[in-house]
Amino acid sequence: MEIVTVLAVNAAISAAVFLGLWRYAVAKQDPSFIDSWWGAGMVLIAVTTYLQSQGGDHALVLTLLCAAWGLRLGYHLIRRWRREGADRRYSRMMADAKETKGWSFAKASLIYVFSLQAVLQFIVCLPIQLGQLSAPAALGPLAWAGILVAVVGILFETIGDAQLERFKANPENAGKVLDTGLWRYTRHPNYFGDACAWWGMYLVAADTGLMGALSIVGPILLTFLLTRWSGVPTTEGPMRRKKPDYEAYVARTSGFIPMPPKRGS
């Protein structure tokens, strides 16, 4: 019952925040900023879980790792939204819902954006929730391995985002493809780092026992989202259309897991 209560409290708090953000989006007529809440909202869930847990090393480590990942990502994405304005993906989504279904902005954004993201966020965040609810115990080998993987993932994502931001800030790079730094070894170092961070946090959760191990649905869903739905597919389509050198970049560069570039491509 304790687990059910904690999850219910977390779900209620998350839903209330999403509803508040939805009302703000309706007033702004732009839901793009919600991407920044993807990470920040998970930090909120981690903290609310910690306050309801018995504490212990696993709970503290999971909360700190989630905070390091989520606050950095949230800050990065809110800065991007303020700098670049409305995301064309969301603008097209809202326009299509109005044209094909006759939905208002409020209805389309609530169903397609805010409700969906609330559910996905809660599921992806299961390792942070279930991993904190076991009885306190010392960190085992699996947890230490998870800490290493998560830290590497957070650093990988941070460095990849910084390299891309610096590249895009240079007007001379307009229309060019970033293929140096981490982007030489994978076309999506930010997404790969994201996945590593959450698989690492899952290992920490799994170190607590069966309940933590069952949270594997979280990183599996995240990996699917990144590689098959809202990550790689939505990024690569526009890149192929806008940048003539991108096909050559795709031919020589790994799509996700970092690998040396292919020779002769």
Side-chain angles (χ1 to χ4, degrees), residues 42-206:
M42 293 194 195
V43 178
L44 175 63
I45 293 175
V47 172
T48 58
T49 305
Y50 185 81
L51 294 175
Q52 298 174 80
S53 74
Q54 302 177 54
D57 292 344
H58 291 84
L60 180 61
V61 165
L62 286 169
T63 302
L64 291 176
L65 286 174
C66 185
W69 169 82
L71 293 177
R72 197 287 313 176
L73 180 61
Y75 177 69
H76 170 72
L77 292 177
I78 200 68
R79 284 180 60 243
R80 188 178 71 182
W81 174 67
R82 291 175 64 87
R83 181 176 63 248
E84 300 179 6
D87 189 316
R88 283 174 290 182
R89 295 173 302 162
Y90 289 116
S91 298
R92 286 196 301 268
M93 190 184 301
M94 297 301 100
D96 288 345
K98 181 177 181 179
E99 181 178 343
T100 62
K101 299 180 182 295
W103 287 0
S104 65
F105 177 92
K107 182 176 181 179
S109 60
L110 179 62
I111 294 175
Y112 282 162
V113 181
F114 290 86
S115 296
L116 180 60
Q117 283 216 21
V119 173
L120 294 176
Q121 183 187 79
F122 191 83
I123 296 173
V124 170
C125 204
L126 282 175
I128 298 302
Q129 301 180 79
L130 299 183
Q132 295 194 53
L133 299 180
S134 298
L139 298 176
L142 198 60
W144 285 109
I147 292 171
L148 177 61
V149 172
V151 169
V152 169
I154 293 168
L155 290 174
F156 210 92
E157 183 178 20
T158 302
I159 293 170
D161 280 339
Q163 290 175 341
L164 180 60
E165 190 169 350
R166 185 167 59 249
F167 179 83
K168 292 169 68 175
N170 186 346
E172 295 181 1
N173 293 327
K176 296 181 180 179
V177 176
L178 173 58
D179 60 356
T180 58
L182 297 182
W183 300 81
R184 171 178 168 81
Y185 304 100
T186 168
R187 302 197 299 273
H188 304 282
N190 47 350
Y191 297 151
F192 174 75
D194 210 10
C196 282
W198 278 95
W199 278 104
M201 285 185 268
Y202 165 72
L203 292 178
V204 177

